[in-house]
Amino acid sequence: MSSKTKIVVLRMKEIIYTAIFIGLILLLILLFLFMFRPGKKKNPETGTTSATTEAAPACYTPGLYSASIVLGSQNINVEVTVDAERITSVSLVPLSESVSAMYPLMQPAMDSLSEQIITGQSLEGLTYPAGSQYTSTALMNAVRTALAKARLTD
């Protein structure tokens, strides 16, 4: 018998460490896939973030619709005026001096969003200034809620 038999001994501790290491690698790969998937894109030149949202339908019940945002102890209404086919105005009501002083980005963010919404007649492809992304997101949620009230039901 010229061949020598080799016996491989695996310790349970080594198997467990290997399984944990493989699991961590798989978790890291999944994390990278979720982090770098397409979605929100940031424009490096302007510092703005483009948001992709669903498009608003072109058929509304004409009127004035509102949705509230709670800021501290005060409610701020976002009012959206629509006619049968288009959005005619988007505004904040009432924006008192105390609210303007406490939340200085509120009115400029609404002015920017209002202009984009009226021009594009959609909530799609809006850009938010880098300094007021969270304010713009809160305002957009209120606009979306008001427009949902204005949609014609089939």
Side-chain angles (χ1 to χ4, degrees), residues 63-65 78-83 86-92 110 113-115 117-118 121 143 146-147:
L64 177 70
Y65 299 91
V78 174
E79 290 186 347
V80 179
T81 306
V82 296
D83 61 15
R86 55 189 302 267
I87 302 166
T88 57
S89 72
V90 179
S91 61
L92 288 174
M110 180 50 99
L113 291 174
S114 176
E115 182 181 322
I117 291 169
I118 292 170
Q121 290 297 311
V143 170
L147 282 177

Side-chain angles (χ1 to χ4, degrees), residues 69-132:
I69 300 174
V70 178
L71 297 174
S73 63
Q74 296 186 3
N75 287 337
I76 304 300
N77 288 330
V78 174
E79 290 186 347
V80 179
T81 306
V82 296
D83 61 15
E85 296 177 355
R86 55 189 302 267
I87 302 166
T88 57
S89 72
V90 179
S91 61
L92 288 174
V93 177
L95 193 60
S96 65
E97 288 182 23
S98 62
V99 173
S100 296
M102 292 298 292
Y103 304 98
L105 297 177
M106 189 68 66
Q107 189 62 48
M110 180 50 99
D111 292 342
S112 171
L113 291 174
S114 176
E115 182 181 322
Q116 292 179 53
I117 291 169
I118 292 170
T119 302
Q121 290 297 311
S122 174
L123 301 181
E124 242 179 77
L126 302 177
T127 58
Y128 305 147
S132 64

Side-chain angles (χ1 to χ4, degrees), residues 46-69:
T46 61
T48 59
T49 303
S50 292
T52 56
T53 58
E54 63 184 61
C59 297
Y60 302 109
T61 304
L64 177 70
Y65 299 91
S66 66
S68 293
I69 300 174

